[in-house]
Every structure is written in structure tokens, then in C-alpha cells.
Amino acid sequence: MAFRAGLRPLTPTPGASDTFGLGCAPIGNLFTAVADADADATVGAALDAGIRFFDTAPHYGAGASEARLGRALAGVPRDSVVLATKVGRRIVDADGAAVPSGAVGADTVADLSRDGVLRSLEGSLARLGTDRIDLLYLHDPMDVDEALRSAIPELVRLREEGVVRAIGVGMVWPDPLTRFVQEADVDVVMIAGRTTLLDHRGESSLLPQVAARGVGVVAAGVFNSGILADPENTPYFDYREASAEQRSRALALAALTESHGLPLRHVAARYPLRLPAVEAVVVGARTAAEVFDFAAAEHAEIPDELWAEIEHL
């Protein structure tokens, strides 16, 4: 990976992607159940496509995503991949009781305590079948003050002790993320859905701050939950039905990219990489076909004139 924080596979694979990662929420049964064999095929396709960065979290399927990713990567040299997961939520069973470390549960609940961070990480290591995490995020902390007071110091300690290689925060909203960049010693932030062709809210406040402080950015949610992948058939924005204005703009963008012989989804996946400090894009996939499709976007020839036309659309 090309993070300025120095986060790369310890043993790089020649020809592997240095900008795209696989988002593993879908193999945690996000919205649609996924069979174990299909999850294996999805991760295998990512490896075949040269992807070596994998992003997961206990929240994705209450541990199912991590367990499936760990199983699919068994036998893959650990130093050849980068694993990112998250803390800030703990897994509980259907009755709300904590599950044993490493187990899969029914749901997750917020927990920003020091103990919660440690227990979450312990479970993630067990499910992933690894002894270390490359990038550990704090996952959507709703109480920024509490996170800065309790969770962030524990993440810093884990990094200092070499348990994790880099730390960060992942959120949808740029303003809280900007606070973490300004007030915490983080290496990377993940911004979801706010550095896209339809939503630029992360670009005016967050990106100048991360650039000034040498913090890397991972862009996620590049399709805004569907509308930038296929505005005709999946007109959803932030997991809700898109507004008429959003759909109209997405259709206009699709017409423009298609006039250059490019699908909108490939241009949408590449867009964040044009922004200062954005060093990687994570795209979720449920099937091998989806993986190969978004991996192709990394090598698509996108002319400068198309970017200029998009800016003036």
C-alpha cells in the first residue's frame, strides 16, 4: 500500500495494487446473506487481481466478516498482505451478553473503554487467525470527547508496543474526523462517502488538515451505496432512496463517462485518488465478478478531458 504512514506489506508482491483494497463488509452478510464458499471466492478473486489490502471490522456481521476473511487468507503469507480492522464496538449475542473472544455473535454495541478496545482487538486477532493488525481504526465513535480521552490513548499504546503498525479513525462525517486529525496522533483516517463524485463534503475541511499533518487518507463508500455504481438500477444514496436531484446528477455523470467509453463505476472508484492525501480506495464486493470489475478500474485509461468535463458538469 502507498500510505504515507509507511504502511505497506512487509513483503510486497510484484505487480500488486498499491491503491485499491477490498472492503469486507459484504462478506459479513451486509444486507444479503453470503455463503462461506462465495466469501472464499471473493477473497480469492481479490488475491488473483493483485489486491493485498483487506479492510474488515467486528461490526460487519458481528464477527462474520473477520472470521471469513481469516479463513480465506489461511495459508497466504502474512507479510504479503495488509489487514485493517476496527475497535470501538463489542460483539454480543442475541440476549446482549458478551460472546467469547474470537466468536461470532448477533450484534455489536458501542464500547470506547480501554478494556473494550483490548477485548475487541483480542477477538479480531482470533477470528482473523493472526498475531498482529497492520492498521487499527476506531470505528464510527459517536462521542468524540470520550474517544479522545479513553480509546485513542490505548490505540497509541498498542502502536508503540508493536501490536499494531498504524492507527486511525474511520467515519462518515468529516468534521469529527478533522478533530481526530487535529487532536490525536493518528496515522490514517478513513472517510466514507464524502469524497465522491456526488458528495464533496470531505474535501474542504478534512483533506487540507490531513495534508498539513502528514496523515494518510483511505476513501471508502465511493459509490455512495449504489447510485454511482449503477444509477438506473441501484439509485440509493447513503443506503436510502436517492433524491431526484442526486439521481439526475448521477445519470448525467453516467452519460458523460459512457461517452468516453468508460462505466461510471470505474470513474467513481478512481475519483478520490485525484484528491490531496488520498492514498487508497476501499471498495466492498460480494462476489468474485464484482472484485474483478472494480480491480479493472485501477488500470482504466481516464483522459484528463473527462475529469475537466466532470468538474464543469
Side-chain angles (χ1 to χ4, degrees):
M1 296 304 297
F3 295 119
R4 70 187 63 197
L7 184 58
R8 296 179 175 86
L10 294 174
T11 305
T13 302
S17 172
D18 65 354
T19 54
F20 275 23
L22 177 66
C24 295
I27 66 170
N29 303 318
L30 178 68
F31 301 123
T32 301
V34 174
D36 285 346
D38 292 333
D40 289 344
T42 298
V43 177
L47 292 168
D48 290 344
I51 292 168
R52 294 295 182 270
F53 176 44
F54 297 89
D55 179 85
T56 184
H59 186 55
Y60 304 155
S65 173
E66 289 182 320
R68 285 172 163 172
L69 178 61
R71 185 187 63 247
L73 291 178
V76 175
R78 178 63 183 86
D79 289 349
S80 70
V81 297
V82 170
L83 294 181
T85 192
K86 305 173 182 74
V87 294
R89 302 190 67 84
R90 55 185 170 85
I91 299 174
V92 297
D93 64 19
D95 296 322
V99 302
S101 178
V104 175
D107 201 355
T108 65
V109 294
D111 189 343
L112 296 173
S113 69
R114 175 183 181 275
D115 185 63
V117 168
L118 294 176
R119 289 181 180 275
S120 179
L121 177 58
E122 180 183 33
S124 293
L125 290 170
R127 283 183 293 273
L128 288 165
T130 185
D131 61 354
R132 69 181 187 277
I133 299 299
D134 297 294
L135 172 56
L136 188 63
Y137 291 109
L138 190 57
H139 196 178
D140 279 334
M142 294 297 101
D143 189 331
V144 176
D145 291 326
E146 181 184 358
L148 287 166
R149 182 173 58 252
S150 58
I152 289 294
E154 192 60 24
L155 292 183
V156 171
R157 185 185 67 80
L158 290 167
R159 182 183 59 191
E160 290 173 347
E161 293 182 355
V163 180
V164 301
R165 296 174 60 200
I167 62 173
V169 182
M171 299 187 75
V172 171
W173 302 110
D175 288 346
L177 268 184
T178 301
R179 276 197 64 191
F180 283 107
V181 170
Q182 293 172 330
E183 301 178 37
D185 181 18
V186 295
D187 302 297
V188 179
V189 294
M190 173 182 279
I191 180 71
R194 302 295 177 253
T195 54
T196 75
L197 288 173
L198 275 183
D199 194 325
H200 304 287
R201 281 177 280 180
E203 299 174 27
S204 58
S205 58
L206 176 64
L207 293 192
Q209 291 296 320
V210 296
R213 288 166 169 76
V215 174
V217 177
V218 176
V222 294
F223 301 140
N224 285 123
S225 71
I227 192 167
L228 289 174
D230 184 353
E232 284 283 0
N233 298 305
T234 56
Y236 300 100
F237 182 93
D238 282 1
Y239 305 107
R240 298 180 177 86
E241 186 174 348
S243 68
E245 180 182 357
Q246 290 165 337
R247 187 168 184 178
S248 175
R249 177 155 179 83
L251 289 169
L253 285 165
L256 179 57
T257 64
E258 288 164 8
S259 72
H260 286 265
L262 292 161
L264 175 60
R265 61 187 181 276
H266 286 186
V267 179
R270 286 275 291 280
Y271 170 74
L273 295 169
R274 295 175 52 81
L275 303 173
V278 176
E279 301 174 24
V281 168
V282 165
V283 180
R286 182 171 285 105
T287 66
E290 290 175 352
V291 171
F292 289 126
D293 183 77
F294 86 70
E298 184 174 12
H299 307 291
E301 294 289 338
I302 302 179
D304 290 339
E305 55 264 35
L306 174 55
W307 293 121
E309 290 172 20
I310 288 173
E311 289 180 6
H312 293 95
L313 184 64

